[in-house]
Amino acid sequence: DAGVIQSPRHEVTEMGQEVTLRCKPISGHDYLFWYRQTMMRGLELLIYFNNNVPIDDSGMPEDRFSAKMPNASFSTLKIQPSEPRDSAVYFCASSFAGAEANYGYTFGSGTRLTVV
Amino acid sequence: AQSVTQLDSQVPVFEEAPVELRCNYSSSVSVYLFWYVQYPNQGLQLLLKYLSGSTLVKGINGFEAEFNKSQTSFHLRKPSVHISDTAEYFCAVRNTGGFKTIFGAGTRLFVKA
């Protein structure tokens, strides 16, 4: 398996523009997580899905953020409109809950977002 | 709710010396514990995990960690570090009844020649 695939790796956009981050989880994994990493706040869980259904979105900072998982192999995180304070590295991770040996997450390489 | 405290933000150490990265957690319920490593410009990789059983768990790259329930700690150790171990290390906790993992702030390990 190629692992968790995120795109793009880097995104630079102007304030006010819409940004869409993409994630392809590992095939067979039934949990998908979106995290944001900044120097000031560390790793923050934004939202997670189980079997494509959002379970907990309490970490989504505000209405400008939205996430979807239309099928088991694809998820998006959208920011509209973007602001400079959204600049961060956004990670997607997936996991499989079916076996005790697999309770860790597999992370993607992240998308570094810069809003100017 | 759970929380994780990594007691050192940075740990400089000379090559081939031993190292311990400290982690304390807080939870009112049973937990699973994890250590992840993040190399520059990469995502996090699972280093090791404690789910149940033996309190000493071994992971990849020669790392091990010991779960101490009475002290609510899960310190990471390696007897002899290499330059290539330079990275950021994250301790994480999840309650056994859920699937939401909380990460610590990270400890930057810097191995000097």
Side-chain angles (χ1 to χ4, degrees), chain A residues 3-74:
Chain A
V4 176
I5 300 172
Q6 291 187 246
S7 64
R9 286 298 309 272
H10 302 274
E11 176 80 39
V12 180
T13 191
E14 291 186 348
M15 182 173 63
Q17 296 298 305
E18 177 179 295
V19 175
T20 300
L21 311 181
R22 296 173 177 79
C23 175
K24 177 179 168 53
I26 289 176
S27 177
H29 280 192
D30 50 0
Y31 280 84
L32 184 140
F33 306 83
W34 282 100
Y35 281 86
R36 177 171 69 175
Q37 185 179 38
T38 60
M39 289 291 292
M40 293 296 294
R41 301 173 70 91
L43 269 165
E44 304 173 273
L45 176 63
L46 301 177
I47 185 171
Y48 75 95
F49 296 83
N50 176 221
N51 292 323
N52 314 336
V53 176
I55 303 300
D56 185 345
D57 66 355
S58 59
M60 296 285 262
E62 47 198 278
D63 292 345
R64 297 185 297 107
F65 285 70
S66 63
K68 294 182 180 179
M69 192 166 185
N71 57 62
S73 58
F74 184 65

Side-chain angles (χ1 to χ4, degrees), chain B residues 52-99:
Chain B
S52 64
S54 173
T55 57
L56 183 65
V57 292
K58 295 187 184 297
I60 61 173
N61 301 340
F63 283 92
E64 62 182 32
E66 185 158 18
F67 170 56
N68 188 319
K69 188 174 181 179
S70 62
Q71 297 187 7
T72 61
S73 67
F74 190 55
H75 301 333
L76 181 71
R77 302 184 183 101
K78 186 170 183 178
S80 176
V81 294
H82 303 291
I83 297 287
S84 58
D85 292 324
T86 294
E88 186 141 22
Y89 293 79
F90 292 89
C91 182
V93 64
R94 197 180 91 226
N95 78 59
T96 58
F99 222 78

